[in-house]
Amino acid sequence: MAINWFKYSSPASFYSLAGKMIPIFVILAVVLLIAGLYVGFFVAPTDFQQGEAYRIIFIHVPAAWMSMFLYVVMACWAGIGLAFNTRLSSMVATAIAPTGAMFTFLALWTGALWGKPMWGTWWVWDARLTSELILLFLYIGFMSLQAAIDDPRRADKAGAIIALVGVINIPIIYFSVQWWNTLHQGASVSLNQAPAMATTMLTGMLIMVFASWMYSIAVILKRTRVIILERESHTAWVAELRKKEAI
Amino acid sequence: MLQGSSLACVRGDRRLFKDVNFSLEAGGLMQVRGPNGSGKTSLLRMLCGLSNPALGEISWCGTSIRALGGDYFATMTYMGHLSGTKDDLTVVENLCISSALAGIEVSESQAYEALKHMGLGGRETLPVKVLSQGQRRRVALARLLVCQTKLWILDEPLAALDVSAVKLMQCLLEKHLEQGGMVVMTTHQEIDITAASIIQLQLA
Amino acid sequence: MFLWIIKRDLLLAVRRRSDVLTTLFFFVIVVSLFPLSVGPEMNMLRTMAPGVVWVAALLASMLSLGRMFSNDYLDGTLEQVLLSPQSLSLLVLGKALAHWLVTGVPLVLMAPILGIQYDLPAEALSVLTVSLLLGTPVLSLIGAIGAALTLGLRGGGVLVSLLVLPLYIPVLIFGSGAVEANMAGLGYDAHFSLLGAFLLVSLVFSPWATAASLRVSME
């Protein structure tokens, strides 16, 4: 059975497809979230070193992973939009940015909450924390650039360029911060000595990672739908949709 | 030589024009007409390669101008609403540098001659910021004299020009067309130009 | 044509010397503010000096980015540059180079004097100067991308800092790191090699990205 995938690259058909897919991902996200939190808070054993406080990793680690992963995905879509002039991919990139920024913020915040009982301070200039902070700046830069441009096509392309420049720079920035951190090894805190993890902890974390995935997909699809409606508001099919929904 | 087929332009949500077709031969003049906001400037910017048409294809001697890139720019001179002169540079510096950037190195004497022809004799070493709007326009138009490109794309070349300058412009255009050059221009003023072929392109 | 655009921008800078001087004085004032805010204790100032001078250089270079393309954009000369038969990347490289000559080089020349205010030893002064010499062209090159992307936007000046400052971080780390390493009695060759590597990478990629950004912004 051959499915014409290109059909879904037109905003109109993507709009209806996304509408059907969103409930599936929402349900998956909720189920996985409940399962993950249950495993995380009730099944996983208390860590003998860190006590109960370690349980924040069930949110912290998935958030940190998603924040980095989503930036790369966003840059890929933006790049495709720039190279092949496909409007939909640029819209997806725009839709990913706020979710990515949200996860970055969440990772920083939960990291601070974790840091207080562990190291006795909310913030350390650890290489990972610093890189995550810079990642947040990159997200904010992308979003503010797009927000400042009125013409949506120019916003797409300009955003794509800055996202791609950012993606090239992320390894360089990460490496520089790492170097900088070892040069200033004043603070004795290091995140690198992760204790061996119990299997249930790992399971809980993985379930939470999948839950974040499902959540991200659902939200991104939803946001893309809104962007499509906004941009295509002058077209015939949106007018028809409006008429249908009015009834 | 210069061909446009089924060109369309979209600005924001609005479609300015669609299905614009034309074919301009050597020695031909195309006048783009239409009310304010009909997309004349947008069309001209497309023709010179500053922006891309939403639909359609522009070709020069049978090849798409996208593919030609720099080779196309070397055969074309565009003059937009903005004069493209630097306020802090003198008149002659402006002419020399702008032609150099267009790929044509001009000697000082050539530049002086062109400026004299444009009625700017004696003002060559003044900074452009002290000139009037019409005189700045003349500085910009002097570039047409020194850059012997085949295709001229002119957006409102007569704006701010006085009667004598309009006359001068008319002669300049006729001479260029006679030599087998091509001109695409927009204007709100009536101008009487004789040419081998004249196309009137009306935008809705 | 590459030389013509440099010549033009330098000529314009000579005609408008005040623009160059304001950037330079901004640099001097920012560096001089730090002792006033943290106290005149010499040991602390000495450790702070490389970072302070580098951050001030970053800000000064960034402040002048707005002028790189926006004046040309407003008077229509940028359109003509885009329509030049010469490759746009090369012309952009010329503009970035001119920007560096006008803003970066004065900072480099001024840095040793400011370093003396902070009581840096002679060797650290020369390391600071060389690190700025290697690093400031990178700032101009990366900054050109931001300047091209924010062309003609409202609030472009603040926006450009949001876009560009995170990208400046590696240069900042290794630039000030070289001086710190020298003061700590460590080798600083690796820092210089990396700054040199950044310079090469940005020489290759940045004109290309800037040219693409200009085309997007002018469409």
Side-chain angles (χ1 to χ4, degrees):
Chain A
M1 190 180 76
I3 302 170
N4 184 8
W5 290 105
F6 288 104
K7 192 183 131 199
Y8 296 110
S9 64
S10 105
S13 41
F14 180 85
Y15 182 84
S16 61
L17 177 73
K20 285 180 206 129
M21 278 157 66
I22 288 171
I24 305 173
F25 286 109
V26 169
I27 293 166
L28 280 174
V30 171
V31 170
L32 285 170
L33 186 71
I34 293 170
L37 287 179
Y38 179 75
V39 172
F41 282 92
F42 299 105
V43 183
T46 308
D47 189 86
F48 77 99
Q49 268 183 327
Q50 309 191 2
E52 300 294 344
Y54 90 95
R55 291 186 196 276
I56 196 108
I57 64 161
F58 293 111
I59 296 168
H60 177 72
V61 174
W65 282 1
M66 288 311 289
S67 67
M68 288 178 258
F69 182 68
L70 283 178
Y71 194 89
V72 177
V73 174
M74 177 182 87
C76 284
W77 281 118
I80 291 172
L82 186 68
F84 302 107
N85 209 15
T86 43
R87 282 176 305 152
L88 186 61
S89 13
S90 306
M91 292 184 205
V92 173
T94 309
I96 291 175
T99 309
M102 188 274 283
F103 275 119
T104 317
F105 181 72
L106 197 63
L108 285 170
W109 189 21
T110 52
L113 286 179
W114 193 14
K116 187 66 184 166
M118 287 302 104
W119 312 320
T121 167
W122 296 108
W123 181 262
V124 289
W125 288 95
D126 170 79
R128 291 193 203 183
L129 266 73
T130 314
S131 315
E132 193 74 12
L133 185 66
I134 296 168
L135 185 65
L136 183 65
F137 296 157
L138 291 179
Y139 272 119
I140 290 173
F142 177 85
M143 289 192 289
S144 10
L145 178 63
Q146 290 213 318
I149 304 176
D150 291 324
D151 177 37
R153 287 307 287 152
R154 180 180 165 191
D156 285 346
K157 290 178 188 170
I161 292 173
I162 200 69
L164 290 174
V165 170
V167 139
I168 297 171
N169 266 282
I170 282 177
I172 300 177
I173 292 175
Y174 184 74
F175 156 78
S176 314
V177 171
Q178 196 97 44
W179 176 302
W180 163 80
N181 191 245
T182 45
L183 193 75
H184 296 255
Q185 203 42 274
S188 58
V189 180
S190 167
L191 279 176
N192 295 330
Q193 53 215 34
M197 212 180 267
T199 332
T200 38
M201 290 185 194
L202 194 65
T203 321
M205 220 166 71
L206 284 178
I207 297 174
M208 286 302 286
V209 170
F210 282 116
S212 319
W213 270 64
M214 296 304 132
Y215 162 81
S216 307
I217 295 174
V219 172
I220 289 163
L221 286 178
K222 179 73 190 165
R223 202 175 285 121
T224 312
R225 260 166 72 101
V226 174
I227 295 173
I228 290 175
L229 275 193
E230 226 171 60
R231 296 229 190 140
E232 306 264 302
S233 58
H234 60 288
T235 57
W237 72 268
V238 175
E240 217 164 276
L241 200 75
R242 220 178 278 145
K243 231 182 282 166
K244 233 185 275 171
E245 269 168 25
I247 294 169
Chain B
M1 296 276 263
L2 183 71
Q3 271 186 321
S5 50
S6 49
L7 299 175
C9 173
V10 181
R11 275 278 165 273
D13 286 352
R14 265 170 20 88
R15 167 167 285 159
L16 290 181
F17 54 78
K18 61 170 184 176
D19 285 330
V20 169
N21 294 292
F22 65 86
S23 166
L24 188 64
E25 294 300 323
L29 164 76
M30 180 161 86
Q31 275 194 291
V32 182
R33 293 173 179 279
N36 293 121
S38 59
K40 296 188 296 293
T41 297
S42 300
L43 178 67
L44 259 53
R45 287 173 68 87
M46 275 177 199
L47 292 182
C48 69
L50 276 173
S51 62
N52 292 316
L55 287 171
E57 178 78 31
I58 301 162
S59 56
W60 173 252
C61 300
T63 321
S64 153
I65 61 166
R66 281 283 123 197
L68 285 171
D71 294 339
Y72 176 63
F73 296 150
T75 58
M76 187 259 326
T77 302
Y78 168 72
M79 216 150 278
H81 279 288
L82 300 164
S83 59
T85 49
K86 279 273 161 209
D87 275 0
D88 290 316
L89 297 181
T90 66
V91 172
V92 65
E93 280 167 346
N94 258 303
L95 182 57
C96 287
I97 290 176
S98 63
S99 349
L101 288 178
I104 295 147
E105 305 247 346
V106 184
S107 72
E108 199 125 300
S109 59
Q110 270 177 298
Y112 272 91
E113 201 177 313
L115 289 170
K116 199 169 164 206
H117 190 84
M118 289 308 295
L120 290 164
R123 296 198 174 77
E124 294 91 345
T125 49
L126 289 179
V128 164
K129 63 182 161 203
V130 304
L131 298 186
S132 76
Q133 210 55 39
Q135 286 173 318
R136 283 169 201 225
R137 200 83 209 163
R138 288 178 187 227
V139 178
L141 292 169
R143 201 152 56 87
L144 293 173
L145 280 175
V146 290
C147 301
Q148 294 297 330
T149 47
K150 188 115 195 185
L151 172 65
W152 292 356
I153 298 178
L154 312 173
D155 198 354
E156 295 287 343
L158 306 181
L161 291 185
D162 59 16
V163 183
S164 68
V166 170
K167 259 244 154 52
L168 201 69
M169 205 47 217
Q170 191 182 340
C171 293
L172 191 62
L173 290 174
E174 279 177 353
K175 198 171 148 218
H176 179 64
L177 290 165
E178 222 167 80
Q179 290 166 347
M182 284 173 251
V183 177
V184 179
M185 63 186 279
T186 62
T187 175
H188 286 293
Q189 283 156 278
E190 283 308 318
I191 181 169
D192 206 20
I193 298 174
T194 49
S197 71
I198 296 180
I199 303 172
Q200 303 282 354
L201 190 69
Q202 185 70 38
L203 296 179
Chain C
M1 263 174 260
F2 176 67
L3 292 176
W4 271 103
I5 201 148
I6 297 178
K7 187 181 154 193
R8 186 195 75 149
D9 280 14
L10 291 183
L11 199 58
L12 284 169
V14 171
R15 299 272 156 86
R16 291 213 159 217
R17 275 175 292 261
S18 63
D19 283 357
V20 181
L21 290 177
T22 35
T23 312
L24 188 61
F25 281 118
F26 174 82
F27 178 60
V28 174
I29 288 172
V30 170
V31 173
S32 312
L33 281 179
F34 275 85
L36 297 176
S37 62
V38 298
E41 214 261 302
M42 267 307 168
N43 272 331
M44 185 171 60
L45 288 183
R46 213 173 294 129
T47 43
M48 277 176 54
V52 169
V53 173
W54 258 98
V55 168
L58 232 65
L59 295 177
S61 161
M62 193 199 70
L63 268 189
S64 58
L65 282 178
R67 286 200 301 273
M68 191 168 347
F69 296 115
S70 68
N71 286 345
D72 288 0
Y73 174 68
L74 291 177
D75 60 23
T77 39
L78 192 59
E79 276 176 355
Q80 302 297 343
V81 169
L82 252 69
L83 294 176
S84 166
Q86 183 67 278
S87 114
L88 183 57
S89 308
L90 203 62
L91 293 175
V92 162
L93 183 63
K95 281 199 77 75
L97 200 63
H99 177 264
W100 176 67
L101 287 172
V102 169
T103 60
V105 171
L107 300 188
V108 174
L109 296 178
M110 196 52 131
I113 300 169
L114 296 175
I116 290 172
Q117 280 194 321
Y118 280 73
D119 195 29
L120 284 183
E123 202 188 339
L125 280 180
S126 54
V127 174
L128 176 69
T129 313
V130 176
S131 74
L132 280 167
L133 193 64
L134 281 170
T136 42
V138 184
L139 303 184
S140 294
L141 285 162
I142 297 178
I145 305 177
L149 284 173
T150 53
L151 200 58
L153 298 181
R154 56 196 136 77
V158 186
L159 194 56
V160 88
S161 59
L162 270 182
L163 296 180
V164 159
L165 285 179
L167 304 176
Y168 279 173
I169 288 168
V171 183
L172 173 69
I173 288 176
F174 290 104
S176 55
V179 189
E180 281 172 33
N182 171 259
M183 287 201 295
L186 302 168
Y188 48 83
D189 294 351
H191 294 82
F192 279 179
S193 319
L194 280 163
L195 281 177
F198 293 153
L199 180 55
L200 285 180
V201 170
S202 52
L203 268 175
V204 173
F205 283 109
S206 150
W208 179 74
T210 310
S213 312
L214 279 180
R215 291 211 189 280
V216 167
S217 297
M218 292 296 287
E219 201 168 292

